[in-house]
């Protein structure tokens, strides 16, 4: 559903205008109701259409909270989850806590990830893109993928 990347700008009050193509897709899929939360591994935000979030929220809440890694995921993803609705101009007001977590300033990148979007600081996105590949084993599903 969501693909591509878009340069977007946030004003000094924390308002972000969603690009028309994405705004239309959000209007069709969820009436403009979204949930924005923290990514657990990267300093960016995850933007979910309301129904996608509802499915994910149940799965995260069901994780065993006696496990430290599961508890971290629950605290970050559920703790930062903020329901928002696009206004009549296709904008959302990002709470300061989310802006601080993702180190968001004026210039941002909105990146489609199929069923959700990622919202990055332009500077953090560019540094991530320029990073060397992470060390570790490549999952079989990735090794078998042909681009």
């Amino acid at each position: 559903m969501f693909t591509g990347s878009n340069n977007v700008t946030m004003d000094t009050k924390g308002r972000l205008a969603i690009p028309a193509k994405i705004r239309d897709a959000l209007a069709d899929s969820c009436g403009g109701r979204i949930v924005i939360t923290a990514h657990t591994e990267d300093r960016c935000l995850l933007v979910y259409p309301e129904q996608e979030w509802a499915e994910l929220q149940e799965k995260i809440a069901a994780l065993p909270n006696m496990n430290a890694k599961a508890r971290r995921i629950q605290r970050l993803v559920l703790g930062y989850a903020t329901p928002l609705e696009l206004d009549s101009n296709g904008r959302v007001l990002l709470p300061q806590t989310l802006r601080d977590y993702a180190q968001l300033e004026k210039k941002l990148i909105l990146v489609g990830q199929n069923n959700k979007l990622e919202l990055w600081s332009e500077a953090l996105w560019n540094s991530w893109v320029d990073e060397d590949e992470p060390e570790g084993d490549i999952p079989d599903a990735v090794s078998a993928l042909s681009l």
Side-chain angles (χ1 to χ4, degrees), residues 128-136 138 142:
W128 179 85
V129 167
D130 292 338
E131 273 183 13
D132 290 333
E133 286 189 35
E135 297 293 323
I138 297 174
V142 175

Side-chain angles (χ1 to χ4, degrees), residues 11-94:
D11 69 16
T12 57
K13 294 179 182 178
R15 291 179 299 202
L16 167 71
I18 304 295
K21 179 181 171 185
I22 296 170
R23 183 174 59 233
D24 293 344
L26 288 170
D28 291 344
S29 69
C30 61
R33 291 180 308 277
I34 59 176
V35 175
I36 301 180
T37 191
H39 192 292
T40 61
E41 303 299 318
D42 296 310
R43 285 294 177 150
C44 70
L45 301 178
L46 301 171
V47 181
Y48 290 95
E50 188 178 56
Q51 72 279 3
E52 289 284 336
W53 169 253
E55 293 173 23
L56 179 63
Q57 182 180 13
E58 288 180 25
K59 293 175 185 175
I60 293 172
L63 292 173
N65 65 7
M66 294 303 287
N67 176 284
K69 288 185 180 191
R71 201 168 46 248
R72 176 177 168 73
I73 290 169
Q74 289 171 325
R75 286 178 176 158
L76 287 174
V77 177
L78 298 177
Y80 277 104
T82 305
L84 299 169
E85 189 166 353
L86 301 182
D87 68 13
S88 59
N89 295 319
R91 297 177 305 186
V92 292
L93 176 62
L94 296 175

